[in-house]
Amino acid sequence: MRTINCRYFLFIAIFFPILSFSQESNVKEAQKDEFNASVNYQSALHYFGRTDSLKSSGLFPSVGFQSKTGLYAQGNFIFVQTTGQATGYTGTTIETGYRFPQSDHFSGNLFYSQFLYKEKSTLVQSALKSQTGINLSYLNKIVNINGGADLKFSNQTDVGVTLGLDHLFLFTKGLNHSAIAINPSVYAYAGTQKFTNTYFEKRGILGFPVTRQTTEQVTQFNVLSYELSLPVVFVSGKFNASITPSYVIPQNLVTVSGRPDLSERGKEMFYVTFGLGVKL
């Protein structure tokens, strides 16, 4: 007989999708220093389809700066609204990194993120302290191939991998200094899961059957979720607006028989992200 005593485990922390299509528009822009600000609203919060017992939505104001050298920094402020409760501040994420020079076929960035959650944050991923990694994309007219790898740090270190495909449809005809982009995407997220595995085995000692309990620490690398999304972005001058309907399908939820308090909660989920932004 086997039982699993679930420990907290960490993967990739993603609060809302960020869409950029300047590299694919075949328009070369001179690099320059740039400030940006945005606010995003997500109708349902989850962590690769994993949720707590609360039904929450999130509001994420963001400010950032990107240097013409490719170095950038941004801060995201997290406000959570739970059914029957007022919207409340729950934490801040600070990200710094380097975006690789613009190319017709490749884009990407290196990043480091620090997570500053309130002590009693209700977010499932609030045990995560920091994260570092790399994102790379191969851009072409048929399908863009996106990949990433990262390390997550809390009281342990976990590994995450991302693989995705998307195709950008860009519309500019009849739009004076404006553009509309539609970017259907599919992503798979994978990462390490850590838990304790307890099992009982029978052995014969001096001819007598003896049952012994054994507990071992287990680390597995599994697919955590699949996600389909359809970002739609409108850009006019320095302003942009977006809406992103998404559908997440969690995988490999850790469950403990008869112990829902030690089991992961998760289900297939549809949610929508709205965003408004400006560049200065």
Side-chain angles (χ1 to χ4, degrees):
M1 181 179 75
R2 284 175 179 260
T3 60
I4 297 177
N5 179 20
C6 177
R7 295 175 57 195
Y8 196 86
F9 51 89
L10 303 167
F11 328 106
I12 307 167
I14 297 179
F15 294 105
F16 50 85
I18 300 175
L19 176 65
S20 174
F21 53 84
S22 62
Q23 292 95 339
E24 302 175 67
S25 65
N26 295 322
V27 177
K28 299 294 185 180
E29 297 181 357
Q31 297 297 311
K32 58 182 180 180
D33 294 343
E34 188 174 75
F35 288 93
N36 60 78
S38 66
V39 59
N40 293 266
Y41 170 79
Q42 187 168 304
S43 63
L45 296 181
H46 68 93
Y47 196 49
F48 301 108
R50 292 150 172 84
T51 64
D52 54 24
S53 59
L54 305 174
K55 295 182 179 180
S56 302
S57 58
L59 185 69
F60 311 102
S62 174
V63 292
F65 171 78
Q66 178 168 317
S67 167
K68 59 185 177 183
T69 64
L71 296 173
Y72 71 91
Q74 64 184 43
N76 302 297
F77 308 95
I78 307 166
F79 295 85
V80 174
Q81 199 282 320
T82 303
T83 302
Q85 299 182 15
T87 300
Y89 169 79
T90 194
T92 298
T93 69
I94 301 172
E95 180 177 324
T96 60
Y98 174 74
R99 291 192 173 96
F100 302 130
Q102 184 172 315
S103 166
D104 287 333
H105 295 293
F106 290 96
S107 68
N109 70 300
L110 297 167
F111 70 91
Y112 173 81
S113 298
Q114 187 73 36
F115 303 96
L116 307 172
Y117 296 111
K118 292 181 65 177
E119 184 176 351
K120 295 183 179 180
S121 172
T122 59
L123 291 177
V124 178
Q125 65 270 36
S126 59
L128 186 62
K129 296 178 181 178
S130 61
Q131 178 181 356
T132 187
I134 183 173
N135 298 304
L136 294 171
S137 296
Y138 173 67
L139 312 173
N140 60 87
K141 294 182 179 180
I142 300 174
V143 61
N144 300 318
I145 303 172
N146 310 298
D150 68 273
L151 297 174
K152 287 81 53 192
F153 306 100
S154 60
N155 59 349
Q156 60 192 21
T157 301
D158 287 273
V159 179
V161 173
T162 304
L163 179 64
L165 302 173
D166 73 82
H167 181 84
L168 182 76
F169 298 92
L170 187 62
F171 305 94
T172 59
K173 187 176 181 179
L175 299 174
N176 187 24
H177 302 294
S178 302
I180 295 175
I182 302 176
N183 190 218
S185 308
V186 57
Y187 275 84
Y189 301 101
T192 52
Q193 295 175 292
K194 291 184 168 78
F195 51 87
T196 57
N197 188 19
T198 300
Y199 59 93
F200 298 89
E201 55 183 350
K202 291 184 178 180
R203 291 186 177 182
I205 299 178
L206 299 177
F208 296 95
V210 176
T211 300
R212 187 174 71 174
Q213 177 178 309
T214 301
T215 299
E216 59 184 0
Q217 301 295 323
V218 179
T219 299
Q220 294 181 348
F221 187 87
N222 290 320
V223 174
L224 303 174
S225 70
Y226 300 105
E227 185 157 356
L228 307 173
S229 62
L230 187 65
V232 179
V233 180
F234 172 74
V235 177
S236 180
K238 298 180 179 181
F239 297 90
N240 63 81
S242 65
I243 179 171
T244 305
S246 304
Y247 190 77
V248 62
I249 307 169
Q251 302 291 306
N252 294 303
L253 296 171
V254 175
T255 59
V256 180
S257 179
R259 292 298 304 273
D261 57 316
L262 297 178
S263 301
E264 286 191 299
R265 301 172 61 94
K267 62 179 181 179
E268 297 183 13
M269 180 188 306
F270 174 82
Y271 65 100
V272 182
T273 305
F274 303 91
L276 291 172
V278 60
K279 294 182 179 181
L280 304 175

